[in-house]
Amino acid sequence: MALLLAMTLPCGAAHAQSKAAEGEKIAFDRAKGNCLSCHNIKGGDLPGTIGPALKDIKSKYPDRNDLVAIVTDETVRNPQTAMPPFGRNRILTKQEIDAIVDFLQTL
């Protein structure tokens, strides 16, 4: 069934879904993105409350580049943030950040 569904989706949509799924894995991985340590995210277990709940992201950040910048290094916009600079400190690669942003845009 999943194969049939994948075959009926446009190639770009299937690729975007796979990147979002990979982003979700990274975001929920306690050793990688670890987004759940600070944020409440639908589908995640044991969320933190330091950061805002991650929901309605696409409406809050219609420009994808804003999300990439936040995950890469939020200290550029807000030097007082508790958000780790995942890109600047090389905690996540650019590809991993892109996947997380794809996931966040589905919330």
Side-chain angles (χ1 to χ4, degrees):
M1 181 69 157
L3 180 59
L4 180 61
L5 180 59
M7 291 172 57
T8 61
L9 291 173
C11 187
H15 180 68
Q17 284 180 339
S18 68
K19 280 190 71 179
E22 180 62 25
E24 180 179 21
K25 278 191 219 172
I26 297 166
F28 288 0
D29 184 337
R30 298 284 182 184
K32 240 346 195 174
N34 200 18
C35 301
L36 285 169
S37 67
C38 296
H39 300 279
N40 186 339
I41 306 170
K42 181 181 177 182
D45 294 328
L46 304 171
T49 58
I50 295 169
L54 299 180
K55 60 183 181 178
D56 303 320
I57 298 298
K58 192 126 182 171
S59 65
K60 291 176 186 172
Y61 299 99
D63 184 349
R64 184 180 199 291
N65 293 324
D66 289 339
L67 282 174
V68 170
I70 289 168
V71 177
T72 300
D73 187 0
E74 175 63 354
T75 65
V76 171
R77 289 183 346 152
N78 177 7
Q80 302 302 315
T81 188
M83 177 88 170
F86 289 98
R88 185 187 77 205
N89 287 351
R90 296 187 181 135
I91 299 166
L92 298 172
T93 67
K94 180 175 178 356
Q95 292 78 16
E96 290 169 328
I97 291 170
D98 285 339
I100 288 175
V101 168
D102 288 341
F103 166 61
L104 292 175
Q105 289 187 313
T106 69
L107 302 176

